[in-house]
Amino acid sequence: MSTANSDNHLQTPILDSESAQLLQAVSQHGGYAYVSMAARAAAGDLRAAEAAREMAWEQLHSGPWHSVLPVWRDAYSMACLHVAKVHAIAGEFSDALRALDMGLIMGGPLLKPDLHSLVAIVSAKARAARVSEKQQQCPKSDRRLVPDDLDSKELLGVLPTKSLSCKMVLKRSGLSLEGFLREYLLPGYPVIISDGMGHWPARTKWNDMDYLKRVAGDRTVPVEVGKNYLYPEWKQELITFSQFLERIKANGSSSAAPTYLAQHPLFDQINELRDDICIPDYCFAGGGDLRSLNAWFGPAGTVTPLHHDPHHNVLAQVVGKKYIRLYLASLSEELYPYTETMLCNSSQVDLDNLDEKEFPKMRDLEFLDCILEEGDMLYIPPKWWHYVRSLTTSLSVSFWWSEYGSS
């Protein structure tokens, strides 16, 4: 739908107030061509806006991410806002949302309030346009991401060797903060908390395709395509959330590589989904700070290979089931970590195709494992090695937090 309308003019108060200062900073770093294009973009020139965005994009990819000057990240957000405003005026709401999402994903913090504000307005207009076009909804039988009638034996048949034959992670209900701190966080030992998220709206909403498409379908998200990040065929793409959901639904009947929305700060980007979850009180035990809140959405068969993370982690299973295997942090040498700096927290061992001749220390290594059911939360202590496999379509949320006083 592409209908120009004066009602589609979007207000950007922070961009208006900060534009001159930001452009001056860009000029000081040699971005004279960008400043020229941005001035024309502000007057409604789409080609100039796209050119400015491309210039900023090139700067974002001029070296390692940590070396990119912050001013160019804000400049990228500015260009995205200009692109979005021109598309919105023309009634091209999907294009406007894509530009805004790219600003949220890749841009700096300065203009994020304007980006979020425009996302809310443009999303509402896009939904209204769809209603006016009387788009048909999916039949009720197709609305659920994960059906109830799954064959448990078939699900468990894909697990790595020796699964569910050693020690199981203990499952607790009614676990107090004091009990969690004393029995699990301070000793550094995993536990499943079975009743910590019953009050989340996500528990009922996220298994509904119609709901997810309505609140997030037009939004652009980064996804991973391929078995996992250790395989050479692995790649990343930017697609709409609706396209991602359709790939999930088609995964069982398609030979295409699985598509995974993994370790993405989705809830910083899509406020409607953030409102459906709550930060568990357990994440504040010990007086630490929440470091990241990430989404892990994908089809059955999605695997996160054996690795460890630096922070305390609560993995909340909202929709579907996962198998998780954990090894003590002290077993790093026996788990054959990669020597490359970028992969030093990942194991060379492929648990799905374990070769004990190549990795003999794995033969009798003890581990804990579990099936994480809908509504369960798993506490994973820092540096504990873990392997994760989705047994069904799975929507999970991870909460990372640091200990008090840690950097």
Side-chain angles (χ1 to χ4, degrees), residues 247-292:
R247 288 193 191 183
I248 285 181
K249 290 290 285 184
N251 186 69
S253 57
S254 170
S255 60
T259 300
Y260 196 16
L261 197 161
Q263 199 168 341
H264 173 55
L266 184 70
F267 311 107
D268 290 341
Q269 182 187 349
I270 304 179
N271 289 330
E272 293 91 338
L273 295 179
R274 173 65 182 85
D275 292 340
D276 289 338
I277 62 175
C278 305
I279 300 174
D281 290 342
Y282 302 105
C283 297
F284 301 106
D289 298 314
L290 192 70
R291 291 303 182 93
S292 67

Side-chain angles (χ1 to χ4, degrees), residues 155-168:
L155 295 179
L156 300 181
V158 299
L159 298 182
T161 182
K162 301 180 182 177
S163 294
L164 306 176
S165 64
C166 296
K167 296 179 181 178
M168 301 285 287

Side-chain angles (χ1 to χ4, degrees), residues 34 37-38 41 46-60 72 75-84 87 95-103:
Y34 175 92
M37 289 296 110
L46 179 59
R47 288 188 177 181
E50 293 282 13
R53 185 167 67 162
E54 184 62 28
M55 292 175 192
W57 179 265
E58 290 177 0
Q59 291 295 324
L60 296 185
W72 280 113
Y76 184 76
S77 295
M78 170 188 274
C80 288
L81 283 168
H82 287 315
V83 170
H87 280 306
D95 291 329
L97 275 174
R98 181 175 175 83
L100 293 170
D101 277 321
M102 291 304 297

Side-chain angles (χ1 to χ4, degrees), residues 320-358:
K321 300 181 180 185
K322 280 184 169 173
Y323 169 80
I324 301 173
R325 180 179 293 192
L326 304 113
Y327 293 88
L328 281 163
S330 60
L331 295 176
S332 287
E333 183 180 342
E334 290 83 353
L335 293 172
Y336 303 89
Y338 282 92
T339 55
E340 296 94 329
T341 302
M342 289 292 291
L343 294 174
C344 64
N345 73 324
S346 297
S347 170
Q348 299 177 60
V349 178
D350 181 356
L351 289 179
D352 294 311
N353 298 282
L354 179 57
D355 185 344
E356 292 188 348
K357 291 183 179 179
E358 184 178 2

Side-chain angles (χ1 to χ4, degrees), residues 217-229:
D218 292 324
R219 307 297 300 276
T220 296
V221 293
V223 296
E224 302 177 357
V225 182
K227 182 173 180 181
N228 64 60
Y229 61 83

Side-chain angles (χ1 to χ4, degrees), residues 105-134:
I105 294 168
M106 301 295 294
L110 178 66
L111 300 174
K112 278 201 171 182
D114 278 354
L115 289 164
H116 279 300
S117 175
L118 265 58
V119 161
I121 295 169
V122 175
S123 293
K125 290 179 179 293
R127 285 194 287 269
R130 283 198 299 273
V131 170
S132 68
E133 292 168 2
K134 298 181 179 179

